[in-house]
């Protein structure tokens, strides 16, 4: 079984040691990467969040007068709260040819291998530059990459294409679903439960909306559109969080719930959103306001992730197939920053070590074999960029 180099293993251990849970600042890891690259003679630009607590990092190896190949990854990880870990999640533990730790799979191993190979890239007479794009807050709605893309659009030269190193078992993913998520706020009218007909029960009207969303989900499952190359071949509709009511003997005044559409590139999420909004406005609100005029439903945007649908014969797809030795491409249901890169005019592919099955779970891990395959990928890339 192929084994990763000590340089990659050491970098993985170093990056895992930073607790970059999305609620925390990521400046410590960004400054570490900046200083590491500086020691190699590479200048970096940090692109801060609006509040200055977080930052993206952008750097170029090789000539800066021409567009090159971007290696991109997010530095944040999901929380460990409530998870039963067998080892310290902020310290890499090796067992049975696996490296355990929060972020080993999603997705610090890719970032680590890319950084560990910086000296190897620099050994070459680089003709095609390598760009590093490292972001914050991917796990909470791909928030950080947006100011980075805004900044890249201002530069005289930006990447020609980008490889997003999310865990795909080093398979070439050229398409993924998009995501649109919203919060519905139902405003009812409270009263004593013995007088329930004189009130407007926000929980019950929220339930009617949720039933409507469920009906939309069933219709998609039955009628499509379908793409059999996805593990879930149709657009999905999901309700995840519901909060409402104060006591059983009070008709609830307020109820909120969060829902999402994970849609095929062929579907329009705005049409789906319009359907649930129309149901609220045309069916439910007239009933509610017949009892109390100031009741109703508000919809608040939470986040969106653009779908990815890079043609199979595109330059970036052909490149990554050559780097992995793959003959085929795949499509996945989870979203990444790749859709936003593509939307901004930088063609994207997703390819990285580890399996999405391990992401976000306790005892998250990446296999040593996957890390070694990622190293081989970088070695082939080093050969490609040389003059």
């Amino acid at each position: 079984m192929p084994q990763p180099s000590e340089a990659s293993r050491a970098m993985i251990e170093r990056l895992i040691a930073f607790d970059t849970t999305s609620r925390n600042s990521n400046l410590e890891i960004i400054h570490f990467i900046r200083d590491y690259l500086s020691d190699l003679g590479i200048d970096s630009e940090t692109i801060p969040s609006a509040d200055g607590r977080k930052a993206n990092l952008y750097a170029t190896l090789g000539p800066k007068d021409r567009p090159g190949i971007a290696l991109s990854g997010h530095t944040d990880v999901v929380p460990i709260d409530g998870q039963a870990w067998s080892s310290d999640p902020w310290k890499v533990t090796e067992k049975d040819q696996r490296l355990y730790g929060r972020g080993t799979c999603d997705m610090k191993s890719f970032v680590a291998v890319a950084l560990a190979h910086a000296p190897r890239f620099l050994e070459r007479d680089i003709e095609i530059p390598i760009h590093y794009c490292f972001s914050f807050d991917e796990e909470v709605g791909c928030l950080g990459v947006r100011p980075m893309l805004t900044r890249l659009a201002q530069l005289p030269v930006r990447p020609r294409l980008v490889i997003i190193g999310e865990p795909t078992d080093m398979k070439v993913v050229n398409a993924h679903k998009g995501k649109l998520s919203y919060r519905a706020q139902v405003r009812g009218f409270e009263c004593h439960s013995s007088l329930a007909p004189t009130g407007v029960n926000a929980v019950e009207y929220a339930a009617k909306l949720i039933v409507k969303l469920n009906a939309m989900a069933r219709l998609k499952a039955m009628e499509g559109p379908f793409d059999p190359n996805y593990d879930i071949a149709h657009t999905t509709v999901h309700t995840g969080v519901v909060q409402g009511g104060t006591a059983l003997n009070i008709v609830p005044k307020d109820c909120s719930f969060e829902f999402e559409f994970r849609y095929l590139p062929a579907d329009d999420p705005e049409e789906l959103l319009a359907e649930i909004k129309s149901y609220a406005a045309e069916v439910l609100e007239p009933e509610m306001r017949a009892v109390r005029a100031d009741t109703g439903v508000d919809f608040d945007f939470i986040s969106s992730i653009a779908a990815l649908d890079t043609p199979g014969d595109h330059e970036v797809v052909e490149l990554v197939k050559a780097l992995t030795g793959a003959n085929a491409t795949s499509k996945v249901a989870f979203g990444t920053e790749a859709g936003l890169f593509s939307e901004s005019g930088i063609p994207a592919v997703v390819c990285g070590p580890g399996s999405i099955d391990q992401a976000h779970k306790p005892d998250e891990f990446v296999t040593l074999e996957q890390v070694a395959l990622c190293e081989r990928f970088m070695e082939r890339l080093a050969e490609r960029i040389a003059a």
Side-chain angles (χ1 to χ4, degrees):
M1 181 180 295
Q3 298 291 304
S5 68
E6 286 302 317
S8 289
R9 289 184 58 142
M11 186 61 75
I12 292 171
E13 290 174 2
R14 189 69 185 90
L15 298 189
I16 297 305
F18 294 103
D19 178 357
T20 53
T21 304
S22 300
R23 61 178 172 243
N24 300 335
S25 170
N26 77 328
L27 291 181
E28 193 175 359
I29 193 172
I30 289 295
H31 292 165
F32 166 78
I33 295 171
R34 178 199 62 193
D35 294 344
Y36 166 80
L37 294 176
S38 179
D39 289 343
L40 296 173
I42 302 166
D43 294 329
S44 302
E45 178 179 357
T46 55
I47 304 158
S49 61
D51 62 7
R53 292 185 61 249
K54 303 179 182 183
N56 303 294
L57 182 140
Y58 180 70
T60 298
L61 288 64
K64 297 183 179 180
D65 62 347
R66 67 199 70 172
I69 301 165
L71 302 175
S72 182
H74 60 84
T75 60
D76 62 316
V77 296
V78 296
I80 60 169
D81 303 18
Q83 294 186 339
W85 282 74
S86 302
S87 59
D88 184 347
W90 309 116
K91 181 178 180 180
V92 172
T93 301
E94 180 181 343
K95 183 180 180 182
D96 300 328
Q97 296 291 303
R98 298 171 175 178
L99 299 179
Y100 290 88
R102 173 57 87 220
T104 50
C105 169
D106 186 13
M107 58 172 292
K108 289 181 177 177
S109 288
F110 176 84
V111 174
V113 174
L115 288 172
H117 270 68
R120 301 288 295 275
F121 293 141
L122 295 173
E123 288 173 358
R124 307 276 177 166
D125 182 12
I126 299 176
E127 180 178 12
I128 303 171
I130 293 292
H131 310 284
Y132 288 144
C133 299
F134 302 137
S135 66
F136 66 89
D137 280 2
E138 188 272 348
E139 295 289 7
V140 290
C142 293
L143 303 182
V145 72
R146 299 170 197 268
M148 178 157 58
L149 291 173
T150 298
R151 176 59 183 146
L152 293 184
Q154 298 167 349
L155 297 178
V157 176
R158 65 175 187 164
R160 186 171 82 212
L161 50 86
V162 60
I163 301 164
I164 311 292
E166 292 278 7
T168 66
D169 291 307
M170 293 306 298
K171 295 176 181 176
V172 184
V173 171
N174 66 315
H176 65 61
K177 291 182 178 181
K179 174 186 171 183
L180 180 63
S181 58
Y182 266 77
R183 180 180 298 105
Q185 305 270 7
V186 182
R187 293 174 285 106
F189 178 66
E190 63 189 351
C191 65
H192 195 284
S193 61
S194 65
L195 304 173
T198 66
V200 178
N201 190 317
V203 168
E204 290 182 357
Y205 278 100
K208 292 180 181 182
L209 278 168
I210 293 169
V211 169
K212 171 63 176 177
L213 286 165
N214 182 254
M216 293 168 62
R218 293 198 307 271
L219 191 65
K220 284 294 177 185
M222 291 186 295
E223 299 184 0
F226 300 103
D227 186 335
N229 292 313
Y230 286 92
D231 47 2
I232 305 297
H234 52 83
T235 293
T236 58
V237 186
H238 163 70
T239 301
V241 178
V242 183
Q243 295 177 321
T246 55
L248 181 58
N249 62 354
I250 301 174
V251 171
K253 178 183 177 181
D254 298 296
C255 185
S256 68
F257 64 91
E258 297 175 7
F259 63 97
E260 67 175 24
F261 306 110
R262 289 192 181 262
Y263 58 93
L264 296 178
D267 248 334
D268 183 353
E270 294 299 330
E271 290 185 3
L272 297 171
L273 180 63
E275 182 175 348
I276 192 65
K277 284 185 172 182
S278 293
Y279 178 74
E282 298 172 11
V283 177
L284 299 186
E285 287 186 332
E287 293 181 8
M288 300 168 71
R289 289 171 180 168
V291 178
R292 185 78 178 190
D294 57 355
T295 58
V297 183
D298 297 317
F299 292 90
D300 299 324
F301 171 79
I302 298 176
S303 66
S304 66
I305 301 173
L308 176 70
D309 195 15
T310 304
D313 59 355
H314 193 281
E315 173 193 13
V316 66
V317 178
E318 294 298 331
L319 170 66
V320 179
K321 285 170 67 176
L323 297 178
T324 60
N327 294 319
T329 59
S330 302
K331 300 179 180 182
V332 295
F334 62 87
T336 76
E337 294 170 336
L340 291 167
F341 273 97
S342 180
E343 206 172 54
S344 76
I346 304 175
V349 156
V350 186
C351 182
S355 168
I356 196 66
D357 291 342
Q358 307 308 323
H360 299 191
K361 294 181 178 179
D363 292 340
E364 176 183 349
F365 70 84
V366 65
T367 66
L368 295 178
E369 180 181 25
Q370 282 287 303
V371 177
L373 288 173
C374 187
E375 285 193 320
R376 180 60 183 137
F377 177 98
M378 296 297 173
E379 290 163 6
R380 289 172 173 160
L381 178 58
E383 295 168 1
R384 286 271 179 154
I385 66 173

